[in-house]
Amino acid sequence: MDRLVKRKDFLAAASALRANSGPLLLQGRDRADQAPARIGLTVTKKHGNAVERNRIRRRLRAAVRDALPRAGQDGFDYVIVARRAALGTPFSALIHDIERGIARLHSGSRRPPKPARADAAQRPPRADGEPLP
């Protein structure tokens, strides 16, 4: 299992495909090559102290080792953004959620990425005719 370690790879996956799956948000990006799939894990500080966050990461790494060979595709980067519920979810359900999320990424039933903010020049003017800041 190859890992994502560079911030630019995480950002590229975040701006591509997304799918919610239980206690996880999966983000995926097609690198358009035949290299093995890579995985990145994100657990933010709002989901507990360092001990809890590391426990979530360990559980996710073990679940991904089981699910990725069956569900993942070569040439893709996957980022799993965990929620606190991933800590209490049964392990078999966690594996199922990862497989289901990856399947959603590849099937087309996913949430589109958020649109980029428009520049001030592209925004409509205010009612008094002045452009918005």
Side-chain angles (χ1 to χ4, degrees):
M1 175 174 71
D2 291 339
R3 289 182 16 199
L4 293 176
V5 291
K6 294 185 179 178
R7 184 173 191 270
K8 69 174 187 142
D9 293 331
F10 279 86
L11 293 176
S15 64
L17 307 173
R18 296 179 184 191
N20 283 317
S21 182
L24 311 168
L25 168 68
L26 275 93
Q27 301 170 338
R29 173 179 78 107
D30 186 0
R31 293 187 320 262
D33 62 14
Q34 293 302 316
R38 298 185 302 177
I39 191 79
L41 302 174
T42 301
V43 184
T44 63
K45 284 187 175 183
K46 70 179 179 179
H47 296 306
N49 61 21
V51 173
E52 292 169 331
R53 292 192 311 268
N54 286 328
R55 188 178 303 151
I56 292 170
R57 271 190 218 100
R58 284 192 305 270
R59 293 190 81 211
L60 287 176
R61 272 195 299 264
V64 165
R65 274 189 218 107
D66 191 17
L68 195 61
R70 287 193 301 275
Q73 293 182 7
D74 287 342
F76 268 81
D77 288 340
Y78 301 103
V79 174
I80 298 176
V81 181
R83 298 185 181 111
R84 189 181 198 114
L87 191 56
T89 303
F91 191 71
S92 60
L94 198 58
I95 293 170
H96 177 71
D97 287 337
I98 292 170
E99 290 174 344
R100 185 177 67 194
I102 291 173
R104 281 185 183 171
L105 285 176
H106 295 298
S107 72
S109 61
R110 59 193 172 265
R111 189 175 86 197
K114 293 179 182 177
R117 282 185 56 186
D119 292 329
Q122 296 174 344
R123 293 183 197 170
R126 295 187 308 197
D128 61 0
E130 292 292 319
L132 291 173

